[in-house]
Amino acid sequence: MVVEREMKFGKILAIANVLGERVKDKGEIGISPKHMERYGFKPATTFEHIHKDLMQHSYKFGEEEMMLFDQLTEVVASIDEEEFTDTPLQGRYLQAYGAKQHELNHAMGR
């Protein structure tokens, strides 16, 4: 179960990052370096901050952004409540993050 949790949190981070890159002003990054740094240590709390930041830009969501948001909520919903905690992540989440980020960028022509 630990590996699955790591993979899901990695996918969440990638989807949120791509979504953020699409809705933030030109030159802004998807997820702040501060959040990226903290995510591995406190994933649930940090995701809460990332989500709040994304929602401040939700008025910019078009069809593709809504599809990304739907993917994000689907992965979040797939994590058991007792696993959606601030238990630190192992480095495996970075593999899932990189793979999902690559997949999404490729699918969206980046």
Side-chain angles (χ1 to χ4, degrees):
M1 280 308 214
V2 172
V3 172
E4 189 174 328
R5 177 180 181 266
E6 306 285 321
M7 301 303 275
K8 289 177 181 180
F9 269 107
K11 289 178 182 180
I12 288 169
L13 187 62
I15 298 166
N17 192 45
V18 171
L19 181 57
E21 288 174 350
R22 294 180 62 88
V23 297
K24 290 190 175 180
D25 294 332
K26 192 171 187 142
E28 282 189 274
I29 54 176
I31 296 176
S32 76
K34 171 180 74 173
H35 292 326
M36 288 292 252
E37 184 179 329
R38 291 180 185 165
Y39 192 78
F41 300 106
K42 292 187 168 227
T45 299
T46 306
F47 174 68
E48 187 178 337
H49 293 289
I50 292 168
H51 185 270
K52 189 181 296 184
D53 186 44
L54 288 172
M55 291 300 92
Q56 291 177 0
H57 299 276
S58 63
Y59 66 94
K60 298 178 186 176
F61 285 14
E63 186 176 330
E64 287 183 343
E65 290 78 20
M66 285 305 299
M67 287 173 33
L68 285 168
F69 189 73
D70 287 347
Q71 280 187 45
L72 180 66
T73 56
E74 184 177 316
V75 178
V76 170
S78 74
I79 298 177
D80 292 334
E81 188 176 336
E82 56 274 354
E83 290 185 318
F84 200 82
T85 66
D86 277 335
T87 300
L89 298 170
Q90 310 260 325
R92 287 185 213 105
Y93 84 96
L94 293 170
Q95 188 279 328
Y97 164 75
K100 188 66 175 178
Q101 179 93 21
H102 177 75
E103 173 192 320
L104 291 171
N105 284 336
H106 181 73
M108 299 190 158
R110 290 182 160 209

